[in-house]
Amino acid sequence: MLDETTKGVFTIAVTPFLPDGALDFDSIDRMVDAYIERGANGLTVLGMMGEAGKLTAEESVAVVRRATARSSVPVVVGVSAPGLAAISALSKEAMDAGAAGVMVAPPMTLRTDAQILNYFQDIAETLGETPFVLQDFPLATGVQISTSLILQVVETCPTCVMLKHEDWPGLEKITALRAASDAGTRRISILCGNGGMYLLEEMMRGADGAMTGFGYPEMMRRVVDAVNAGDIDHARDVFDAYMPMIRYEAQPGLGLAIRKFSLARQGVIAHPTLRKPSAALTSTTTAEIEALAARQRIRMTQLGLVD
């Protein structure tokens, strides 16, 4: 079960599809194995970059069951939905399947601090003893959650054990939350998103790790381990080697297509298919990805991280 001490890398899993758009269960197995082999301490399925909104309720449950059955590390399940009934139903299925906890993002309809606080209090009541992750991703949800409001949620919702930090610019939020913990506020785990774009600085500000996806998921474990070992220079070297690809994958509207293409070219999933409506990569774009991958491999070889 997730708790406030959870740390490391929880890789946000893509949802593999066959070329016709059907779920690719064989690739789910292969993907889970690959993520763990590349250093994932945990997995997160049905996140926003897992195309959760394109799945039926039955498909969502099927993905959760397949991933949890295959995984040897804790699995967090994204259960965000417009209504509490859907959140409750999927959460129950997830926990019954062996998930370690669930992740909830606020709906776009919330505007005031009081509305946001009441919402997460309702979430805590609805989920009962299930530990949950508060996903703070205003770029996607349009909901701004201040540091003081997060602390109110932490104070009034004991089952909120983790913040998935995806605010940007958001480094000062991490610093403020850790300062509050040092002053006696209940400390919760902070794992960070944003495709790893700010992971180095987030770790140095006091984050406990990453909860995000990237076409080369081993990057996150390497950076996190280096920072935790106090080898900041090595962490910077590794981060710098991957940064051109991180930057390229961060393109709004195209990032998931790029990520799936990278994962498919490495054999992690069989097909780079996104469910429609979706972005399509041109031959020019794929050539740019190949060029970045080649240069990245050269850098990693120089660092002694590949043969």
Side-chain angles (χ1 to χ4, degrees), residues 216 241-248 258 261-262 265 282-300:
Y216 296 83
Y242 286 102
M243 179 47 67
M245 188 70 82
I246 296 172
R247 173 191 62 82
Y248 197 81
I258 295 169
F261 177 84
S262 292
R265 70 182 292 279
T282 65
S283 58
T284 302
T285 299
T286 59
E288 289 169 346
I289 298 170
E290 295 285 2
L292 288 169
R295 292 183 62 82
Q296 178 177 282
R297 185 171 181 82
I298 292 171
R299 294 288 300 279
M300 300 311 297

Side-chain angles (χ1 to χ4, degrees), residues 3 19 54 69 79-80 91 93 113-114 138 142 147 177 190 198 211-212 215 217 246 248 268 287-288 293 295 305 307:
D3 63 25
K54 299 178 183 178
V79 298
S80 301
S91 296
E93 291 280 3
D113 283 2
T147 302
L177 288 170
I190 300 176
Y198 308 104
M211 183 183 280
T212 193
I246 296 172
Y248 197 81
V268 174
E288 289 169 346
R295 292 183 62 82
L305 294 175
D307 295 331

Side-chain angles (χ1 to χ4, degrees), residues 231-249:
D231 193 348
I232 303 302
D233 285 342
H234 182 63
R236 291 189 184 281
D237 287 341
V238 172
F239 191 71
D240 290 350
Y242 286 102
M243 179 47 67
M245 188 70 82
I246 296 172
R247 173 191 62 82
Y248 197 81
E249 191 183 287

Side-chain angles (χ1 to χ4, degrees), residues 122-171:
D122 285 344
I123 287 293
E125 180 180 355
T126 297
L127 295 178
E129 296 181 357
T130 298
F132 74 91
V133 180
L134 190 167
Q135 185 175 12
D136 181 18
F137 192 9
L139 187 66
T141 64
V143 179
Q144 298 288 337
I145 309 179
S146 67
T147 302
S148 61
L149 184 52
I150 291 172
L151 292 173
Q152 289 183 65
V153 174
V154 170
E155 179 182 358
T156 60
C157 302
T159 50
C160 178
V161 298
M162 180 187 294
L163 173 69
K164 186 188 178 189
H165 176 272
E166 295 190 273
D167 198 358
W168 58 341
L171 294 174

Side-chain angles (χ1 to χ4, degrees), residues 86-117:
I87 291 174
S88 177
L90 183 53
S91 296
K92 184 179 185 307
E93 291 280 3
M95 299 309 289
D96 287 348
V102 300
M103 180 170 66
V104 184
M108 296 181 180
T109 53
L110 303 182
R111 290 292 177 266
T112 69
D113 283 2
Q115 289 173 335
I116 298 167
L117 179 60

Side-chain angles (χ1 to χ4, degrees), residues 1-295:
M1 299 284 277
L2 292 182
D3 63 25
E4 293 88 346
T5 67
T6 301
K7 57 183 61 178
V9 174
F10 277 62
T11 304
I12 293 282
V14 299
T15 300
F17 298 108
L18 297 169
D20 64 0
L23 288 172
D24 182 354
F25 289 102
D26 289 340
S27 281
I28 291 177
D29 292 345
R30 181 164 41 183
M31 174 187 69
V32 168
D33 292 348
Y35 284 153
I36 295 171
E37 288 169 1
R38 295 183 183 203
N41 303 106
L43 302 176
T44 302
V45 299
L46 303 185
M48 292 183 185
M49 292 296 271
E51 299 177 83
K54 299 178 183 178
L55 303 182
T56 67
E58 293 76 15
E59 287 175 325
S60 295
V61 172
V63 169
V64 170
R65 289 176 177 169
R66 189 74 173 223
T68 53
R70 187 75 177 187
S71 180
S72 59
V73 298
V75 176
V76 174
V77 178
V79 298
S80 301
L84 295 180
I87 291 174
S88 177
L90 183 53
S91 296
K92 184 179 185 307
E93 291 280 3
M95 299 309 289
D96 287 348
V102 300
M103 180 170 66
V104 184
M108 296 181 180
T109 53
L110 303 182
R111 290 292 177 266
T112 69
D113 283 2
Q115 289 173 335
I116 298 167
L117 179 60
N118 288 339
Y119 178 77
F120 281 107
Q121 290 172 339
D122 285 344
I123 287 293
E125 180 180 355
T126 297
L127 295 178
E129 296 181 357
T130 298
F132 74 91
V133 180
L134 190 167
Q135 185 175 12
D136 181 18
F137 192 9
L139 187 66
T141 64
V143 179
Q144 298 288 337
I145 309 179
S146 67
T147 302
S148 61
L149 184 52
I150 291 172
L151 292 173
Q152 289 183 65
V153 174
V154 170
E155 179 182 358
T156 60
C157 302
T159 50
C160 178
V161 298
M162 180 187 294
L163 173 69
K164 186 188 178 189
H165 176 272
E166 295 190 273
D167 198 358
W168 58 341
L171 294 174
E172 296 300 334
K173 181 178 282 188
I174 298 174
T175 298
L177 288 170
R178 285 299 176 240
S181 298
D182 293 340
T185 300
R186 180 170 69 95
R187 186 190 192 280
I188 64 171
S189 173
I190 300 176
L191 300 187
C192 298
N194 292 319
M197 185 173 291
Y198 308 104
L199 179 58
L200 177 63
E201 291 79 14
E202 289 162 346
M203 289 296 298
M204 294 173 69
R205 293 285 187 121
D208 296 296
M211 183 183 280
T212 193
F214 177 50
Y216 296 83
E218 64 275 12
M219 176 277 294
M220 294 174 283
R221 180 62 184 268
R222 287 168 171 166
V223 171
V224 168
D225 283 353
V227 173
N228 287 337
D231 193 348
I232 303 302
D233 285 342
H234 182 63
R236 291 189 184 281
D237 287 341
V238 172
F239 191 71
D240 290 350
Y242 286 102
M243 179 47 67
M245 188 70 82
I246 296 172
R247 173 191 62 82
Y248 197 81
E249 191 183 287
Q251 296 179 71
L254 204 61
L256 182 57
I258 295 169
R259 183 179 302 172
K260 279 193 160 182
F261 177 84
S262 292
L263 293 171
R265 70 182 292 279
Q266 298 171 75
V268 174
I269 57 177
H271 312 282
T273 310
L274 279 72
R275 263 203 182 161
K276 296 179 179 180
S278 61
L281 302 184
T282 65
S283 58
T284 302
T285 299
T286 59
E288 289 169 346
I289 298 170
E290 295 285 2
L292 288 169
R295 292 183 62 82

